[in-house]
Amino acid sequence: MSVIESILKDLQDLPTPKLVEVARYVHGLNPKSHERRRAALLATAGCMVGEEGEDFERAVRAEADRIDGDSW
């Protein structure tokens, strides 16, 4: 059994909260993931000003506590 196969086998038995934890860790290890996040931030930084930005902030705050653990 390869290392990947062994890891996948172990992942199959984990509950969703643990899978989310693993996914965050694995994505954090990938340098491409950091590059994509940085590019997204640079592309969107300061794009929403005034009322548009305030509306967005209110919407994010209203929905921030509603995380779907099955989205991974």
Side-chain angles (χ1 to χ4, degrees), residues 21-71:
E21 210 175 306
V22 170
R24 286 187 181 137
Y25 178 75
V26 170
H27 292 307
L29 292 174
N30 187 343
K32 288 182 181 178
S33 178
H34 295 285
E35 292 168 16
R36 284 192 302 267
R37 280 191 218 126
R38 180 169 163 63
L41 284 172
L42 288 174
T44 59
C47 288
M48 290 187 271
V49 295
E51 192 173 324
E52 182 183 27
E54 292 166 6
D55 290 344
F56 178 77
E57 183 177 357
R58 274 192 294 279
V60 168
R61 289 184 190 280
E63 300 296 322
D65 62 342
R66 302 169 81 194
I67 297 173
D68 183 2
D70 294 330
S71 63

